[in-house]
Amino acid sequence: MAKKIKGPQLIIANRLDDGRVVFMTPDGNWTADVARAAVADTPEGVEELEAKASISEKNNLVVDPQAVPAEDQNGAFPAHMKQAMQAKGPSVRPDLGYQVSHTWETNASEGN
């Protein structure tokens, strides 16, 4: 039985190898760029994303995957404060830690 959801949902988790907050993409991969997150509008869609996330968790890619409410801010973004803060990264010293951006992923994939 599909569970009730209120509005669109995205899947958030922490990547196991470095602890970064990541979001599930439509193809079932993970990204630190929240704008690329898959968003489900139906209970069946959320269950499908959760099933993919469960496989990633069993394969030790991520920990604590969960569906959270999402809103559109020129792309998907968590609607609740806790997950929104996780998505944005450190707010006091942005020069410390990871920042969510396409640039980071591009640099990371190029070995910078």
Side-chain angles (χ1 to χ4, degrees):
M1 180 172 163
K3 63 183 177 182
K4 292 182 181 180
I5 65 166
K6 291 184 178 179
Q9 306 270 308
L10 58 82
I11 303 293
I12 189 171
N14 289 90
R15 194 165 40 207
L16 193 57
D17 67 352
D18 63 3
R20 290 212 49 203
V21 173
V22 289
F23 306 90
M24 178 170 277
T25 63
D27 59 3
N29 290 315
W30 296 92
T31 180
D33 182 3
V34 66
R36 295 176 43 209
V39 176
D41 293 329
T42 65
E44 294 79 14
V46 172
E47 286 182 356
E48 183 179 332
L49 291 177
E50 288 176 329
K52 289 178 183 177
S54 177
I55 292 169
S56 292
E57 186 174 34
K58 288 178 184 171
N59 289 330
N60 294 323
L61 299 175
V62 297
V63 294
D64 196 25
Q66 54 188 296
V68 298
E71 59 186 23
D72 185 7
Q73 292 186 4
N74 296 323
F77 201 79
H80 291 194
M81 181 63 76
K82 177 183 175 186
Q83 290 83 23
M85 290 174 66
Q86 288 176 311
K88 290 181 177 177
S91 60
V92 177
R93 293 278 313 265
D95 57 319
L96 300 176
Y98 297 111
Q99 299 299 308
V100 177
S101 73
H102 285 291
T103 305
W104 181 86
E105 293 215 338
T106 301
N107 289 341
S109 66
E110 294 173 355
N112 296 328

